[in-house]
C-alpha cells in the first residue's frame, strides 16, 4: 500500500479507538480493558441496560471468548434490533468493523429474515399449527440457527430467548419468544464445531431464565460444551 492508503487506514483504526498515537509518526494498539462494554455502535441507541441480561451475556462471553449479542424484534417494522452486547471490544472485531461500517448498521438493525438471530425468532413466532418453510421448521426443532453475519468472514450462531432474565413471570402464561442470544465468531476452516456454541447458549439461557440468576462457570471450549 502507498503512504496515503496506510495513513487512511490508520486513521480509521484511530477513530474506532483501536489504536492511538503516543507521538508523531508512531501508532500503538490500545490494550484491552477488564470490563468490556460496547464501543462499536452495535447496540441500538433506544435500548435500556438490563442487569440480569448483562450478566448472562458476560457469562457466555467469558465461557466462549466470543462476542455475544442480544437481539429483540419489532412487531411494527418486522426487524430485529440489537439491545445488548458483551465482548464487543475485541481488537480484531473492532478493527474489521472499522473497515465495514455498513456491517455495523446491519448487525444493529435488519429485517427478521436476514440472518440467524432474526430467523431463530421468526421460526418461533409462528403458531405451532401454522405451516413453516423447511429451513424455519429445522431451526424451530433444533432451537439453534447458524448463518453468515453481515460482517464478511464472520458467522452468527443464535438461540431463542423466551423471557428476559429477571423479568416477572405471569403464572400459567405460555412465554413467547422475546429475543435471540447470538455468538458472533470468525468463520472456521479447521472443523471447529461451532454448533456446540449453540448447545452451550441454549443450556445457559434456559438455566438463567429458570433461576433469573447467572452462575459463572469455568470457560468451556466448543468441544467441551457439546
Amino acid at each position: 500500500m502507498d503512504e496515503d492508503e496506510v495513513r487512511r487506514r490508520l486513521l480509521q483504526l484511530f477513530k474506532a479507538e483501536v489504536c492511538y498515537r503516543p507521538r508523531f509518526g508512531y501508532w500503538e494498539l490500545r490494550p484491552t480493558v477488564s470490563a468490556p462494554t460496547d464501543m462499536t455502535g452495535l447496540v441500538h441507541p433506544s435500548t435500556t441496560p438490563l442487569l440480569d441480561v448483562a450478566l448472562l451475556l458476560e457469562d457466555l462471553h467469558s465461557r466462549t471468548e466470543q462476542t455475544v449479542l442480544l437481539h429483540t424484534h419489532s412487531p411494527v417494522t418486522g426487524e430485529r434490533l440489537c439491545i445488548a452486547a458483551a465482548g464487543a471490544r475485541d481488537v480484531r472485531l473492532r478493527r474489521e468493523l472499522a473497515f465495514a461500517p455498513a456491517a455495523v448498521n446491519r448487525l444493529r438493525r435488519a429485517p427478521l429474515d436476514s440472518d440467524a438471530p432474526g430467523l431463530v425468532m421468526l421460526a418461533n413466532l409462528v403458531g405451532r399449527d401454522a405451516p413453516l418453510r423447511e429451513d424455519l421448521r429445522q431451526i424451530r426443532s433444533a432451537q439453534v440457527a447458524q448463518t453468515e453475519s453481515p460482517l464478511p468472514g464472520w458467522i452468527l450462531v443464535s438461540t431463542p430467548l423466551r423471557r428476559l432474565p429477571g423479568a416477572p413471570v405471569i403464572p400459567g402464561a405460555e412465554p413467547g419468544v422475546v429475543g435471540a442470544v447470538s455468538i458472533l465468531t470468525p468463520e472456521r476452516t479447521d472443523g471447529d464445531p461451532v454448533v456446540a456454541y449453540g448447545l452451550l447458549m441454549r443450556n445457559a439461557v434456559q438455566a438463567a431464565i429458570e433461576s433469573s440468576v447467572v452462575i459463572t462457570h469455568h470457560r468451556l471450549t466448543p468441544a467441551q460444551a457439546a
Side-chain angles (χ1 to χ4, degrees):
M1 293 180 287
D2 59 33
E3 290 186 8
D4 289 341
E5 179 64 13
V6 170
R7 179 174 177 78
R8 185 183 71 81
R9 296 197 179 192
L10 286 171
L11 286 174
Q12 285 181 313
L13 296 176
F14 179 77
K15 291 178 180 178
E17 299 182 3
V18 174
C19 71
Y20 66 101
R21 302 176 66 179
R23 59 187 182 276
F24 183 78
Y26 289 84
W27 304 77
E28 294 183 11
L29 290 175
R30 290 186 179 274
T32 57
V33 297
S34 57
T37 55
D38 179 54
M39 298 292 289
T40 57
L42 295 178
V43 176
H44 198 273
S46 66
T47 59
T48 302
L50 301 171
L51 177 59
D52 282 3
V53 170
L55 291 174
L56 171 62
L57 299 189
E58 291 292 349
D59 178 52
L60 288 169
H61 168 60
S62 69
R63 287 198 267 167
T64 63
E65 296 185 316
Q66 305 294 334
T67 300
V68 184
L69 307 175
L70 172 63
H71 289 87
T72 189
H73 63 92
S74 169
V76 177
T77 64
E79 295 175 311
R80 55 129 181 94
L81 306 174
C82 184
I83 62 172
R89 290 188 70 106
D90 176 78
V91 172
R92 177 180 175 182
L93 173 65
R94 293 178 64 189
R95 181 177 63 244
E96 297 198 19
L97 287 175
F99 294 114
V104 178
N105 294 333
R106 295 287 291 184
L107 284 166
R108 182 172 59 240
R109 179 177 183 174
L112 271 176
D113 60 357
S114 297
D115 45 38
L119 289 171
V120 83
M121 286 187 282
L122 195 59
N124 288 276
L125 287 171
V126 180
R128 284 289 172 183
D129 297 329
L132 275 178
R133 296 188 330 229
E134 179 61 21
D135 60 332
L136 294 178
R137 188 189 65 77
Q138 292 179 4
I139 289 171
R140 185 159 68 181
S141 175
Q143 293 295 286
V144 175
Q146 176 183 321
T147 65
E148 295 179 353
S149 85
L151 183 62
W154 293 63
I155 63 172
L156 284 162
V157 185
S158 306
T159 190
L161 187 62
R162 293 195 172 273
R163 181 168 58 83
L164 295 176
V169 181
I170 302 175
E174 179 67 23
V177 169
V178 297
V181 179
S182 306
I183 285 179
L184 177 63
T185 179
E187 271 188 293
R188 300 296 202 272
T189 57
D190 56 1
D192 194 12
V194 294
V195 70
Y197 285 141
L199 300 177
L200 167 64
M201 288 191 299
R202 189 175 63 189
N203 294 337
V205 166
Q206 183 61 32
I209 294 307
E210 290 176 353
S211 64
S212 292
V213 176
V214 178
I215 302 174
T216 304
H217 299 278
H218 294 295
R219 180 176 297 133
L220 300 178
T221 65
Q224 290 172 321

